[in-house]
Amino acid sequence: MAQPAPTLTVPPSFEEVYESCFDMVWRLAAHRGVPASHLDDAVQEVFMVVHRRLPDFEGRSSVRTWVAAITRWTVRDFLAKRAHRPSGDELPPLASEALDPSEVLVRTESLRLLDEALARMNEEQREVFLLCELEGLTSREVAEELGDNANTIRTRLRAARTVFTAAVARARASRRWRLGDG
Amino acid sequence: MDELGPGDRVWIDEAIAARSPSAADRARVREKLIAAGVLGAMTGAAAGTAQASAALSATKVVSMLAVVGVVTGAVVWGASETSRVAAPRTVGVEQTAPDAVATEATATEATDDTGTGETAVEATVAPDRSDDTAEPAGEPAVRTRRARPSSPRAISLADDVALLHRAQAERARDPARALALALEHRQRFPRSPLAEERTALRVLLLCDLGRQAAAERLAGRFLARAEDSPLRRSVEESCIRR
């Protein structure tokens, strides 16, 4: 009986990784608290590491999972280094002037709610929530990245969703109060 | 909880859109990586994709500018989120439902915000009796509608966002001017849905101008009222702690 031919895995080029993961890296850095004025630098650092380590990528996880892991610890280091500098001196941008003003408000409110919910989660819940709910990774992929089993990830995700829906409920109650309905 | 419902999901979708990079962001970082020698000039498919993306973005920006300039938006704060998910954001469709209640008409206003010692700059605008921190973090606009360009409310909302945007942009060049703009914003839009952002910005501007005592007073009131605000961190880490 003939042996199946070994499958050849062609590692992705840096350009391909960059194109497919740039948006995710940018968002993950922003969600984790990198100020808007430092996002360029943080994202650049992530891709410098990706470039350096790409020859070692073995394809045992998806590229996105691998890049997400690099983003996690690179951004953590980036923020740790920045913590020694004067901080608290900037606000999130209001959003592009090109947007419809009503869209600006919707997005501002959504970011407020998301950031509030993320702040209420513990680190493990936050990580799983960001990767699964915002970046669309599966619980299995996140389990690979974090080195946990998929059931543990699903448990954390459930807890994180509960925190998030509670934040939504508070926002709804706030709106009702503002409209004078109760 | 196995998954988020559509009413919860819509918040996440908006947040993703808000935090996604623009074409300019992509181009800037690309330039840096090219300069660092880890990324070559765009070739082949990547270049085609980028060019197509840039062209699409340019078209989109032009369209958005047209929307903002010609058909300014109005916000409806009372509709259901389900309808927001389902409703396409049609440009140019006039709807004048009676529930079109703008935030400025419904938000409550609390106590005085004067007495912060901002007189040096505040002299440029008349003081009012509003307080930025009275606004709770609320529901985002649940449905977007387009109104006539002449709609006072639509114009007001566009002006509201634009003025605070100007204040924020001016900060790096001229903090005193930026503070004057923020105070003008407070005077013109005392019940703005961006009131929290305005107050936080004012605290930082007072810090920039070395007016620590005024910054601390304003920050104190902000922190006491905006307990869950994501802007707390910016305020807490401002000059008030140094």
Side-chain angles (χ1 to χ4, degrees), chain B residues 132-203:
Chain B
D132 291 346
T133 59
E135 284 289 338
E139 194 86 343
V142 290
R143 195 165 36 171
T144 301
R145 291 179 182 170
R146 313 297 177 188
R148 282 187 294 267
S150 58
S151 161
R153 179 163 294 140
I155 292 171
S156 170
L157 184 56
D159 289 347
D160 178 344
V161 174
L163 181 56
L164 196 59
H165 203 287
R166 274 177 58 208
Q168 189 165 354
E170 191 69 23
R171 183 179 172 213
R173 291 185 291 272
D174 186 349
R177 168 73 182 146
L179 183 57
L181 289 170
L183 293 170
E184 180 188 337
H185 185 273
R186 188 188 65 172
Q187 184 187 32
R188 288 177 57 191
F189 309 105
R191 299 171 188 172
S192 167
L194 295 170
E196 274 190 16
E197 281 75 8
R198 177 179 62 205
T199 304
L201 177 61
R202 286 172 57 208
V203 170

Side-chain angles (χ1 to χ4, degrees), chain A residues 59-81:
Chain A
R60 285 185 294 189
S61 62
S62 74
V63 170
R64 279 169 60 81
T65 306
W66 181 70
V67 173
I70 290 175
T71 304
R72 179 161 55 94
W73 53 261
T74 304
V75 166
R76 187 179 58 205
D77 291 351
F78 183 90
L79 291 172
K81 279 186 283 184

